[in-house]
């Protein structure tokens, strides 16, 4: 009788430990897995993917300065990557695509005022295309006549 109680107790304890063990492993993460994936993306210069992985690593271990440093660096580089992409799309007259790229750049780096200004410029250029105007021509109907004459002084 005593043996059956001991067996039941041992079996119950073993089942409880086995049921709770995956939860304890998932609850205590150190972000190493995500950091390694982020480093692979950083090495391949896939900055938007690196940002995602580093963000997950920082979420699991927010006090790790190395994770936060790489996350901040990836945010900046992702913004610059989309700025370059938007500039090349604008040069190819893909104003809608350029707008989306500049918007992504601004999303990664909200202090990037150039991305904000370029978004506004892409909207103006796209509107000029829709209106049938040539977006390459500078149109300012309110500007005075720009013929400047130099006058000799002295």
């Amino acid at each position: 009788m005593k043996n059956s109680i001991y067996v039941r107790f041992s079996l119950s304890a073993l089942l409880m430990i086995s049921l709770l063990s995956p939860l304890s492993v998932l609850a205590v993460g150190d972000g190493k897995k995500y950091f390694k994936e982020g480093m692979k993306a950083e090495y391949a210069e896939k900055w938007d993917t690196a940002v995602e992985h580093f963000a997950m690593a920082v979420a699991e271990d927010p006090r790790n300065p190395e994770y936060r440093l790489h996350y901040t660096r990836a945010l900046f580089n992702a913004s610059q990557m989309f700025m370059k992409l938007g500039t090349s799309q604008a040069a190819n007259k893909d104003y809608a695509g350029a707008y989306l790229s500049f918007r992504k750049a601004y999303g990664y780096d909200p202090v990037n005022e150039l991305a904000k200004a370029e978004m506004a410029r892409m909207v103006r250029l796209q509107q000029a295309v829709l209106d049938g105007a040539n977006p390459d021509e500078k149109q300012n109907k309110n500007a005075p006549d720009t013929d400047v004459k130099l006058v000799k002084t002295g």
Side-chain angles (χ1 to χ4, degrees), residues 2 9 11-12 14-15 19-20 25 28 47 62 68-69 76 78 80 91 105 110 124-125 142 144 148 151:
K2 247 185 176 179
F9 178 75
L11 187 59
S12 297
L14 181 66
L15 286 173
L19 287 174
L20 294 177
V25 169
V28 180
W47 297 109
R68 293 183 352 180
L69 177 70
F76 175 78
Q80 294 304 308
R124 285 193 309 272
L125 291 173
N142 298 330
V148 177
V151 178

Side-chain angles (χ1 to χ4, degrees), residues 94-113:
D94 179 13
Y95 302 124
Y99 173 82
L100 292 175
S101 294
F102 290 129
R103 193 169 102 190
K104 286 181 183 178
Y106 187 72
Y108 283 114
D109 187 8
V111 284
N112 188 346
E113 291 296 321

